[in-house]
Amino acid sequence: MGARLVGAQVQRLEDPRLLTGKGQYVDDIVLPGMVQAAFVRSTHAHARIVSIDTTAARAMPGVRGVFTLNDLGPAVARDRMPQTAPSPAIRRSVTQYVLARDEVCYVGEAVVMVVADTRHQAEDAAARVLIDYDVLPAVVDCRAALTGQTAAHHGAADNLAARLSVGFGDIEAAFRTAPHRVTLTLDQHRGVAHSMEGRAVLAAQDAVSGKLTVWSATQSPYMVRRFLARVLGIDEQDLRVIAPDVGGGFGPKAVFYPEEAALAAAAVKLGRPVKWAEDRKEHFVSTTNQRDQHWQMDVAFDDTGKIHGIRGHVQHDNGAYLPYGLILAATSLAPFPGAYALPALQMTLDVIYTNTTPTSPVRGAGRPNAIFAIERAVDRVADHLGLDPAEVRRANFVRADQFPYVTGMKARDGSPVAYDSGDYAACLDRALDMADAAGFPARRDAARAQGRYLGIGVASFIEDTGLGPFEGATVRVTPKGRVTVLTGAASQGQGHATTLAQVVADGLGVALTDVTVISADTERFSYGAGTIASRIAVTAGSSAHLAAAKVRDKVLRYASDKLEVAIGDLELNGGFVHVAGVPEMRISLGDVALALAGTVGQRVPSGLEPGLEATAYFESTATPHSSGSTVAEVEVDIETGAVTLLNHVIVHDCGKVIHPGIVDGQITGGAVHGIGNALFEDMLYDAEGQPVSTNFGEYLLPTATEMPPIRIGHLETLSPLNPLGVKGAGESGTIPAIPAVVRAVENALAPFGVQINRYPLNPERVVNLIDASRGKT
Amino acid sequence: MKSAGFRYHDPQRIDDLLSLLGRFEDAKILAGGQSLMPMMNMRFVQPEHVIDINGVQGLDGIHADAAAGKLRIGAMVRQKTLMQSAALRAACPMVPQAVAHVGHFQTRARGTIGGSLCHLDPAAELPLVMLLHDAVLTVQSATEVHQVDMADWALAYMLPAISPDEALIEVALPLAPGWTGSGFVEFARRHGDFAIASAGCLLDVDDRNIIRRAAIAVGGVAQVPTRLPEAEALLVGQPASAPAFAAASDAARKIDALSDAYYTAAYRQRLAGVLVERALGQASKGTDHG
Amino acid sequence: MDDIRHIALTVNGQPVECDTPVRLHLGDFLRGILGLTGTHLGCEHGACGACTVLVDGEAVRSCLMLAVQANGRQITTIEGLADPDGTLHPLQQAFAEKHGLQCGYCTPGMLTSLAAFLRDTPDPTETQVRDAISGNLCRCTGYQPIVEAALLAAARMRQTEGVR
């Protein structure tokens, strides 16, 4: 039986609830006796805590408890938060305490938790907490952090968390023999993820069993369970973590946060459910961000534009702590060498502590940074040689006949990185075609005749997706013939309930609406990792597929016995297993389920294991690489510096597309996120480490009026690395958007000879670039 | 991010409003709430008393006072209503064009002209338009009524010429100001944002295309919305065409501008020049503002 | 001590009478006192539009209005957008078909905003639709499918009007 639902644009199973206000996000849950928490957060970038006086706060109306670190109990207070992503490459791992102990290292660090009957009362009381700070010097710019005298953590010898290094080939030879060389200095900034729902936590302990349940707006309920149990000093089996409907994730919700521990401890101490819904003001400073990277890169190449080697160094601002190991930092180098066959590479990256909000991956993690650097390098090579940037890309691409292509890089587990499949040149050609790049010179010239400046930019990329080890799935058929899929994979809007149902419905020949997906509840499914790194279709999708295949096999074996026909003569269709060509010779899946559910005193039929269910854990041991190209077209107003986005095309290869609408939705939303990074989003700090952008009037998220038409094309080269042939798509829109848009602006300003090495590009920066170039000539 | 506590008052008559204002030391008037509510939610302001004037009778009308030659706009007229008022469009064609830039249709359904004038964000559109049209504001306390020319309204950054015991009651515009053209241009990163800079201008051009009168103002550039008398003077007596507009634009660039974390004073000065020139271009094309 | 007021209003066609602390904004009142959690709070400073509800038919941000100010008014929230018989509003149907939502958090504000907008502008251009939702932030969709859904719903609503 061929696929019926995989690849089809079915309506999402999630939508009827979400469209009618019946979603259940953490802050929507109300439990009897529930009280509300608010946090007192550091107002200083760096300070020693001299004293904390909670007397007045405790006396405020409705207050149930005021907690400093020590009030959370010895288990919680004993140590800093665990390092959730340990790595031998970490030189000095510093995480925060659940509540600050004697030092605060960024504005927004939680110091005191107040619990009251209402959030209003909790905030009233929080305002009465008196904290006496001894202000310490703050280090804000990571470029100064390694040379200056200021330590981000009091008493630390320096601010270096780690020094990463990647490379392959003979870099010295590459630079010795290549006839040309360019140097790039790039300043990159990515800011706050801003899921529309902030973080939220609800913790409640069952008075009888003592079991603690924590609902959290998290991407990683199993990681929260693991580390929260460790912080509380309890066994994982005494802790249940549930991620209900979650209003967007984009990376930061993959982190284990102090508030999750503080709420859990308070719920136990108070014997009441305690809830906290982060507000937007808190989200700006206490949810992880991304921040600045400063790149220095040399590129060696020949007359044809073929790049022989790239070497360079990156300074990476990691913020005040290292909550999530080196994941973000490592992903800033991992995408090398991009879509290109590169003979030699040598890159290093310093992970630097500053007194700013800690960082962790935001949609794309470090990949947009790396691809920006690589694509800027390619454009610079093209400009140097006077070649078409698309031509230079073609000259360097890994060719379609080279897969699997071993890049020379090492994966996180030390194994060699190999690109699995794709056709990078075909994606580029199709993108150029869809964007009518051939017609661009005429459009540009016509606009120039009216005094308008148009530009076009191209960027190509790869993305490592489907990160291991696994997400699992159980497929279970009920006696009514309904199918339940259980998985650990949490969803924050990606539509996993629909895509997993598509996969399983196809495997069992049932209708989509007969499938229910239950996810992200540690009590319902044993193991899980997290919804990060564009991995769920690959891992949970493949597991669902394999589990459905096992169930299908049981159905066939049972029916073969019962109907006395060969397995090969049976089909699954419409909720039945039937003899091919004889639809009336059939058994419903529900009846199979009932038969396998066991009858007292009788053997399970057909020698099968009990129950019409199966579990599979597909382990993703190699990395499916998505790929593609983006073309952006813009107009620049040279008087004001305004950039108007005219057109944005992405041709993308994520292997088999399970649900076109969901994949296109991921890519469109991702592209807009990348456009936001390129042009709008700027999380500023002042010299003292005070965040400047702390509301949506200052931190500009892209809005509908500013976005261009976004058109998406697909190339489906199946990945050989998993049974569905899929590769991830969650971050692919974001990754190439920044270099494409930046190049388009640069191209529009080509008459002025402008070079752009920094984003976000605000209009003042644009006019300054024009002025500077005019001044030079 | 929840408001601190306060006492709530909802007077129904202007007299009651003024008496409450006279009585309380620490009171805030709640008009459309589109600026005050965010500031209260963020606890940037924590008034002891909030006086909600949404129920006060007689503050929400627009009417032409032919005898006085004035168009009278109640302080509580919503921005949405301003955009739709034919009488206002006739007296002041720029209003719908400018108000379309004020926030979004959801905030314009609540936001009021009085609220906008009293909040006095330097980048706000309505103060700029009113300044340009020489509006006269009626301000009242329990004991006295007086008029404030819009030119005297902005004392300093977000500080209007109104005492804590006073309320803005009405805004009056000339009913037939006689301008032949107007222009309004705003530069913001996103639709509906507070402008980085904006410019409005009014021209009175005779049959021979000579400028008889000119009014120019910029918003978002200086601490307060600002008229540019020197630029205006450069235009009078000149043909309404590019050279004169360029001269006015150059004069506009000399304004004492503010800088913030995102944009420097120099950039705002540049925008002032560019936007004034563009607004003048619009204004010289006539009075048809659609 | 919180100042408390007694208010009476109509929510999704049902009369409601109760006490509310005066400092509660309408969004907190709907969610916390009435349990209508379909209205979402995304920023509480009037910038994201997630909390948009209809007050006497006008789309307004419920975080920028006190609950006491809703006294005597008709409120419609996302829970009241579909017909009482469960038939989805054409916008809800179009959002499902065009994949106009992902995480669903901004969706109630998008739907209420667009419901008011389409009532006043039944035959909008794409530019007008984009303008109408420019005060509603969405981090998932990139807006384009929402715009497509709004145009589809508008076309269907015009057809239905024509039939009537």
Side-chain angles (χ1 to χ4, degrees):
Chain A
M1 187 191 65
R4 299 170 302 126
L5 293 167
V6 168
Q9 173 82 18
V10 299
Q11 287 197 28
R12 295 203 319 169
L13 297 174
E14 295 88 341
D15 290 350
R17 278 184 313 110
L18 299 178
L19 285 166
T20 52
K22 297 192 183 80
Q24 194 178 48
Y25 303 83
V26 173
D27 195 25
D28 300 342
I29 303 171
V30 176
L31 298 178
M34 185 176 79
V35 290
Q36 307 266 349
F39 288 87
V40 182
R41 299 181 181 279
S42 171
T43 51
H44 297 286
H46 195 193
R48 203 172 57 79
I49 298 172
V50 178
S51 65
I52 301 174
D53 182 353
T54 60
T55 319
R58 287 176 198 278
M60 290 291 285
V63 170
R64 300 280 175 167
V66 180
F67 298 87
T68 64
L69 179 67
N70 283 329
D71 300 321
L72 296 175
V76 177
R78 189 177 307 125
D79 216 339
R80 292 176 181 272
M81 303 263 294
Q83 176 51 257
T84 60
S87 157
I90 300 174
R91 181 171 169 269
R92 194 161 60 81
S93 170
V94 186
T95 56
Q96 65 195 93
Y97 285 93
V98 170
L99 295 170
R101 192 180 63 176
D102 49 14
E103 181 185 10
V104 287
C105 295
Y106 65 96
V107 172
E109 184 167 355
V111 183
V112 176
M113 174 174 59
V114 179
V115 179
D117 289 342
T118 70
R119 172 71 181 234
H120 289 75
Q121 290 172 327
E123 290 192 26
D124 293 346
R128 301 296 183 93
V129 171
L130 300 174
I131 304 173
D132 185 13
Y133 290 108
D134 179 12
V135 177
L136 297 169
V139 54
V140 183
D141 186 331
C142 73
R143 285 167 294 191
L146 290 190
T147 51
Q149 303 299 307
T150 313
H153 311 115
H154 188 62
D158 62 48
N159 297 313
L160 185 66
R163 176 161 288 170
L164 303 179
S165 171
V166 299
F168 53 78
D170 187 342
I171 195 71
E172 298 303 330
F175 275 85
R176 210 166 43 239
T177 55
H180 305 286
R181 165 188 308 208
V182 289
T183 296
L184 292 88
T185 303
L186 306 172
D187 296 318
Q188 306 198 47
H189 172 87
R190 301 187 69 221
V192 193
H194 281 307
S195 52
M196 293 319 300
E197 178 205 30
R199 293 184 291 126
V201 185
L202 167 59
Q205 187 175 35
D206 186 86
V208 179
S209 68
K211 182 148 193 163
L212 185 62
T213 301
V214 173
W215 291 260
S216 182
T218 180
Q219 297 170 232
S220 309
Y222 292 82
M223 188 183 80
V224 171
R225 179 179 64 173
R226 178 180 301 175
F227 292 105
L228 181 53
R230 196 174 295 178
V231 168
L232 298 174
I234 63 175
D235 192 277
E236 283 192 25
Q237 69 169 358
D238 297 324
L239 176 62
R240 176 184 190 182
V241 177
I242 303 169
D245 285 326
V246 175
F250 313 111
K253 286 182 180 169
V255 173
F256 171 52
Y257 282 97
E259 290 88 350
E260 289 166 322
L263 266 282
V268 173
K269 291 259 167 205
L270 296 173
R272 284 174 172 276
V274 185
K275 183 157 84 181
W276 166 73
E278 179 189 56
D279 65 35
R280 191 57 58 180
K281 209 164 63 169
E282 293 180 288
H283 188 84
F284 269 98
V285 295
S286 65
T287 292
T288 52
N289 299 184
Q290 272 190 216
R291 201 161 297 105
D292 296 341
Q293 284 188 350
H294 306 283
W295 287 63
Q296 194 74 38
M297 228 161 59
D298 293 321
V299 184
F301 53 100
D302 64 24
D303 294 336
T304 67
K306 176 76 189 141
I307 298 173
H308 292 204
I310 295 177
R311 66 183 172 203
H313 180 63
V314 184
Q315 292 164 300
H316 167 86
D317 178 352
N318 206 80
Y321 297 111
L322 205 61
Y324 201 41
L326 302 173
I327 305 285
L328 171 58
T331 56
S332 307
L333 295 180
F336 275 94
Y340 310 109
L342 182 70
L345 175 79
Q346 182 57 59
M347 291 293 300
T348 52
L349 180 147
D350 284 347
V351 183
I352 302 164
Y353 289 118
T354 61
N355 293 111
T356 57
T357 296
T359 62
S360 81
V362 172
R363 198 168 201 163
R367 298 175 188 89
N369 302 67
I371 296 297
F372 177 78
I374 294 166
E375 294 303 287
R376 286 279 66 199
V378 174
D379 285 339
R380 203 56 52 78
V381 167
D383 290 348
H384 186 89
L385 298 172
L387 295 174
D388 174 1
E391 212 40 65
V392 174
R393 284 176 172 80
R394 287 190 197 98
N396 286 283
F397 274 148
V398 173
R399 294 188 316 273
D401 61 7
Q402 287 179 294
F403 295 102
Y405 176 79
V406 177
T407 65
M409 294 283 285
K410 296 271 187 291
R412 291 183 204 190
D413 62 2
S415 63
V417 170
Y419 296 169
D420 51 326
S421 67
D423 189 338
Y424 302 164
C427 280
L428 174 63
D429 290 345
R430 177 113 175 268
L432 291 168
D433 190 41
M434 282 174 66
D436 186 22
F440 174 75
R443 290 197 292 282
R444 176 195 59 205
D445 295 346
R448 270 301 278 120
Q450 305 167 341
R452 295 161 50 220
Y453 291 78
L454 301 194
I456 193 166
V458 179
S460 301
F461 72 102
I462 50 89
E463 181 195 354
D464 54 308
T465 72
L467 182 69
F470 59 77
E471 293 291 341
T474 294
V475 173
R476 178 184 300 149
V477 182
T478 71
K480 281 201 143 189
R482 290 195 51 84
V483 180
T484 304
V485 181
L486 299 157
T487 178
S491 192
Q492 308 86 44
Q494 299 90 339
H496 299 143
T498 304
T499 47
L500 297 180
Q502 284 175 277
V503 169
V504 169
D506 272 358
L508 297 180
V510 299
L512 188 69
T513 46
D514 284 332
V515 184
T516 304
V517 177
I518 296 169
S519 67
D521 177 347
T522 60
E523 208 76 343
R524 300 297 298 270
F525 193 78
S526 301
Y527 299 100
T531 300
I532 56 167
S534 302
R535 65 189 293 274
I536 298 303
V538 173
T539 54
S542 296
S543 294
H545 173 83
L546 295 174
K550 289 189 198 176
V551 169
R552 178 188 180 87
D553 184 55
K554 281 178 114 170
V555 170
L556 292 171
R557 287 169 59 192
Y558 174 83
S560 167
D561 267 11
K562 191 87 181 167
L563 300 172
E564 298 180 337
V565 293
I567 282 176
D569 292 332
L570 291 169
E571 285 178 2
L572 270 69
N573 229 324
F576 292 89
V577 54
H578 65 85
V579 178
V582 194
E584 59 278 13
M585 283 189 69
R586 64 181 196 178
I587 308 170
S588 76
L589 298 192
D591 286 345
V592 181
L594 192 59
L596 295 186
T599 304
V600 174
Q602 297 192 17
R603 305 229 5 223
V604 177
S606 308
L608 293 167
E609 281 190 17
L612 188 50
E613 73 167 45
T615 297
Y617 285 93
F618 173 77
E619 189 177 359
S620 182
T621 52
T623 305
H625 278 80
S626 296
S627 59
S629 284
T630 282
V631 181
E633 192 169 325
V634 304
E635 175 173 349
V636 181
D637 178 339
I638 63 159
E639 290 188 314
T640 62
V643 173
T644 305
L645 300 154
L646 301 175
N647 196 12
H648 199 91
V649 169
I650 310 158
V651 174
H652 183 246
D653 182 352
C654 61
K656 180 66 190 168
V657 172
I658 299 174
H659 187 298
I662 285 176
V663 170
D664 285 0
Q666 287 294 315
I667 292 171
T668 307
V672 164
H673 195 141
I675 289 169
N677 290 146
L679 297 178
F680 293 99
E681 301 180 36
D682 204 351
M683 181 70 191
L684 296 179
Y685 282 83
D686 72 10
E688 279 71 50
Q690 288 292 335
V692 172
S693 324
T694 54
N695 65 59
F696 278 155
E698 288 156 344
Y699 189 87
L700 307 182
L701 292 181
T703 49
T705 30
E706 279 62 48
M707 290 305 106
I710 295 169
R711 285 178 302 137
I712 299 165
H714 292 286
L715 203 72
E716 289 186 271
T717 55
L718 302 189
S719 174
L721 302 177
N722 60 72
L724 294 172
V726 297
K727 313 166 188 174
E731 296 161 290
S732 295
T734 309
I735 292 168
I738 305 168
V741 169
V742 166
R743 173 60 178 187
V745 175
E746 184 178 82
N747 181 247
L749 301 179
F752 307 100
V754 161
Q755 267 191 7
I756 304 180
N757 300 309
R758 174 186 184 188
Y759 69 84
L761 270 176
N762 73 31
E764 179 167 6
R765 287 174 191 158
V766 171
V767 295
N768 287 346
L769 286 165
I770 298 171
D771 287 352
S773 287
R774 279 176 164 164
K776 269 189 295 190
T777 52
Chain B
M1 221 166 118
K2 308 293 182 190
S3 174
F6 51 79
R7 307 292 298 188
Y8 175 77
H9 310 271
D10 54 345
Q12 306 295 305
R13 298 170 49 238
I14 291 178
D15 285 354
D16 298 335
L17 159 65
L18 299 175
S19 123
L20 288 168
L21 283 174
R23 195 137 53 91
F24 300 131
E25 288 278 298
D26 181 16
K28 274 277 179 195
I29 292 180
L30 176 60
Q34 304 303 289
S35 300
L36 180 60
M37 285 291 294
M39 293 195 298
M40 295 207 308
N41 288 350
M42 292 197 260
R43 298 196 179 211
F44 292 158
V45 293
Q46 302 184 26
E48 200 180 331
H49 298 274
V50 167
I51 305 174
D52 178 0
I53 61 171
N54 283 271
V56 174
Q57 305 297 309
L59 292 181
D60 59 355
I62 301 179
H63 64 272
D65 179 349
K70 298 280 189 193
L71 184 73
R72 301 192 182 279
I73 308 167
M76 280 301 287
V77 172
R78 312 271 173 196
Q79 290 149 4
K80 176 181 179 170
T81 311
L82 295 176
M83 284 178 78
Q84 294 169 343
S85 162
L88 189 51
R89 184 183 295 249
C92 185
M94 188 190 291
V95 165
Q97 187 191 359
V99 176
H101 292 276
V102 180
H104 305 279
F105 85 99
Q106 302 97 326
T107 62
R108 294 194 295 267
R110 296 287 300 165
T112 64
I113 185 170
S116 183
L117 291 173
C118 290
H119 186 61
L120 202 58
D121 189 288
E125 293 79 2
L126 280 165
L128 177 80
V129 172
M130 294 303 131
L131 180 67
L132 210 47
H133 284 83
D134 296 319
V136 176
L137 280 51
T138 300
V139 167
Q140 198 170 343
S141 72
T143 52
E144 89 178 286
V145 185
H146 66 276
Q147 322 282 311
V148 183
D149 286 344
M150 196 59 209
D152 302 323
W153 179 245
L155 300 177
Y157 178 75
M158 295 182 82
L159 183 67
I162 187 167
S163 313
D165 64 339
E166 292 175 329
L168 173 62
I169 302 296
E170 182 187 275
V171 182
L173 291 171
L175 201 47
W179 301 106
T180 56
S182 71
F184 179 86
V185 184
E186 166 161 326
F187 186 73
R189 296 299 311 281
R190 303 175 306 178
H191 181 75
D193 282 352
F194 274 118
I196 302 170
S198 59
C201 50
L202 298 167
L203 289 179
D204 176 8
V205 178
D206 70 14
D207 304 344
R208 296 164 302 130
N209 200 37
I210 301 299
I211 299 169
R212 282 189 295 239
R213 291 183 300 150
I216 304 176
V218 292
V221 180
Q223 305 283 331
V224 298
T226 306
R227 281 283 284 265
L228 302 175
E230 286 175 27
E232 292 170 3
L234 284 171
L235 290 173
V236 174
Q238 301 296 315
S241 59
F245 298 164
S249 163
D250 285 344
R253 281 170 204 259
K254 299 195 176 81
I255 186 170
D256 192 10
L258 56 85
S259 65
D260 59 26
Y262 291 93
Y263 300 104
T264 64
Y267 180 62
R268 284 193 163 82
Q269 290 169 325
R270 175 195 195 107
L271 285 180
V274 171
L275 300 185
V276 162
E277 195 163 1
R278 291 180 183 180
L280 286 167
Q282 268 183 21
S284 68
K285 292 200 178 80
T287 50
D288 180 22
H289 291 283
Chain C
M1 263 304 287
D2 261 331
D3 190 2
I4 305 280
R5 280 274 184 124
H6 190 75
I7 60 172
L9 61 160
T10 306
V11 180
N12 298 329
Q14 301 296 314
V16 172
E17 241 189 277
C18 61
D19 285 346
T20 178
V22 298
R23 63 166 152 167
L24 249 59
H25 59 62
L26 180 58
D28 268 338
F29 172 81
L30 291 168
R31 291 178 52 80
I33 306 241
L34 301 188
L36 294 171
T37 55
T39 298
H40 297 153
L41 302 176
C43 75
E44 291 182 280
H45 55 281
C48 81
C51 69
T52 307
V53 299
L54 305 182
V55 177
D56 290 342
E58 298 274 11
V60 303
R61 300 189 181 321
S62 66
C63 73
L64 298 190
M65 190 174 153
L66 296 173
V68 284
Q69 296 184 294
N71 188 29
R73 312 244 168 227
Q74 307 258 359
I75 311 292
T76 305
T77 69
I78 183 67
E79 289 92 343
L81 206 59
D83 282 350
D85 70 1
T87 308
L88 293 181
H89 187 283
L91 277 164
Q92 291 169 313
Q93 185 57 42
F95 266 57
E97 290 173 31
K98 290 287 180 184
H99 196 41
L101 70 160
Q102 291 182 27
C103 80
Y105 202 78
C106 75
T107 310
M110 288 284 182
L111 289 168
T112 47
S113 293
L114 284 167
F117 168 71
L118 292 185
R119 183 199 56 217
D120 295 343
T121 317
D123 191 5
T125 62
E126 179 184 336
T127 304
Q128 286 175 310
V129 171
R130 285 186 179 268
D131 192 307
I133 59 165
S134 64
N136 295 72
L137 297 176
C138 170
R139 198 54 151 166
C140 293
T141 63
Y143 304 105
Q144 192 161 289
I146 295 176
V147 175
E148 289 167 8
L151 291 169
L152 174 64
R156 286 183 181 158
M157 288 162 78
R158 286 197 305 276
Q159 254 177 9
T160 315
E161 275 308 299
V163 170
R164 279 178 197 161

